[in-house]
Amino acid sequence: MELLAENGGWHGDEMPSAGSGTFTVATGTAAAPEAGRRIVTVLVRTEDGIPVEASAFADEVMRILNDPRGWGAVDAVSFARTDVDAEAEIVITLASPATTDELCGELPTNGYTSCGRGRPVNINGDRWVEGAAAFMNAGGTIEEYRAYVINHEVGHSLSHPHEECPAPGQLAPIMLQQTLTVGECVPNGWPAP
């Protein structure tokens, strides 16, 4: 289980281009660590048939969301986890590229990107396993990219729009589309690095 936790739940097998279209919810709950902030409750699930273990993925998602460099420092929020759909303000789904495209609907993910809007946050399994070429080629790591993709897409759910690279050599804003380009910025996975 320790290896799965280190890999964000990924087993090390190849991500299929299409999964089953059914999902496993990570069971269990976790209280928000900062009870004095606005609590945002999330449900985490993975598509059946992809090589990612739901509970390890959920643990990584919650670690990222409640990191001191996360949205809590920017929006004064704290994230709790539920396994009851009706209690979730945000549903974070890790899915195959084809299923991500379906879940994202009219948003043009093209089998490559992820999406977040309102309640649904859909993470492309290929990006979770491999990262994105633009981010990695600019010197980012897979751990940083995983933080980026969760924080960026949840940022949309928290009503944050896309941003541009402010100046060459600066850390990329979390809402820059770093999956596609970091421009002249430095890759960054955090809202408040």
Side-chain angles (χ1 to χ4, degrees):
M1 189 64 167
E2 186 175 317
L3 180 61
L4 288 180
E6 289 175 9
N7 287 318
W10 177 47
H11 297 180
D13 300 327
E14 186 173 326
M15 183 66 60
S17 60
S20 65
T22 61
F23 306 93
T24 294
V25 172
T27 58
T29 61
E34 300 285 341
R37 295 179 174 174
R38 180 172 74 87
I39 307 301
V40 178
T41 304
V42 299
L43 178 141
V44 181
R45 63 186 195 160
T46 57
E47 185 175 16
D48 297 327
I50 67 169
V52 177
E53 202 276 321
S55 66
F57 173 67
D59 289 346
E60 182 66 2
V61 166
M62 296 309 292
R63 186 194 66 73
I64 290 167
L65 290 177
N66 285 313
D67 188 282
R69 299 166 289 178
W71 285 114
V74 176
D75 285 354
V77 295
S78 190
F79 295 89
R81 185 164 69 86
T82 183
D83 54 10
V84 178
D85 186 77
E87 296 175 359
E89 293 173 60
I90 298 174
V91 176
I92 299 174
T93 303
L94 182 68
S96 65
T99 301
T100 300
D101 283 352
E102 287 179 31
L103 293 172
C104 290
E106 74 279 358
L107 297 174
T109 54
N110 300 315
Y112 191 77
T113 58
S114 303
C115 70
R117 55 179 176 183
R119 189 172 190 256
V121 167
N122 302 302
I123 306 299
N124 183 310
D126 274 350
R127 302 291 66 76
W128 188 254
V129 169
E130 301 169 6
F135 191 97
M136 306 299 272
N137 291 342
T141 66
I142 189 65
E143 294 81 15
E144 290 172 313
Y145 182 80
R146 288 175 179 157
Y148 158 74
V149 75
I150 295 297
N151 282 314
H152 180 92
E153 301 307 345
V154 168
H156 285 306
S157 295
L158 297 174
S159 301
H160 291 276
H162 284 143
E163 296 181 34
E164 300 294 325
C165 177
Q170 289 194 5
L171 280 179
I174 194 62
M175 296 312 294
L176 177 69
Q177 290 179 287
Q178 297 177 65
T179 296
L180 302 176
T181 181
V182 296
E184 295 183 70
C185 274
V186 175
N188 169 43
W190 303 100

